[in-house]
């Protein structure tokens, strides 16, 4: 039961928006890339930065989307490779 509670807590923490301090330090390209590559989710820049007061939000969003596009392309390559491997069996 404790293990289930810990997993639920970690999942909830992963969905939380960034703090203003985290926003300032963030590598937005890497954030976007990770969202697409590892999580396979749609872009969520606005959701993550809800609490941020970014001085240059357009530049941060552009970097995020560039990273997201690169991560999604790699995600698709891996999925295609997996499908080809499974079909070859």
């Amino acid at each position: 039961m404790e293990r289930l509670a810990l997993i639920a807590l970690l999942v909830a923490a992963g969905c939380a928006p960034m703090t203003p301090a985290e926003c300032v330090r963030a590598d937005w390209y890497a954030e976007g890339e990770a969202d697409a590559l590892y999580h396979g989710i749609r872009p969520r820049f606005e959701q993550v930065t809800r609490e941020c007061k970014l001085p240059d939000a357009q530049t941060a969003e552009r970097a995020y989307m560039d990273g997201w596009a690169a991560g999604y392309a790699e995600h698709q390559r891996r999925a295609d490779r997996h499908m080809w491997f499974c079909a070859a069996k």
Side-chain angles (χ1 to χ4, degrees), residues 33-55:
E33 185 178 36
D35 280 351
L37 180 60
Y38 300 114
H39 308 298
I41 59 174
R42 62 184 172 78
R44 59 186 192 110
F45 179 81
E46 291 176 3
Q47 176 187 353
V48 173
T49 60
R50 189 176 316 130
E51 302 298 320
C52 295
K53 304 287 188 277
L54 292 171

Side-chain angles (χ1 to χ4, degrees), residues 13 28 34 37 39 59 65 81 83:
W28 290 108
L37 180 60
H39 308 298
T59 301
M65 291 306 298
R81 195 172 334 136
M83 293 303 292

Side-chain angles (χ1 to χ4, degrees), residues 1-16:
M1 187 63 153
E2 288 178 23
R3 189 176 193 177
L4 183 60
L6 177 62
I7 291 170
L9 178 64
L10 291 174
V11 168
C15 298

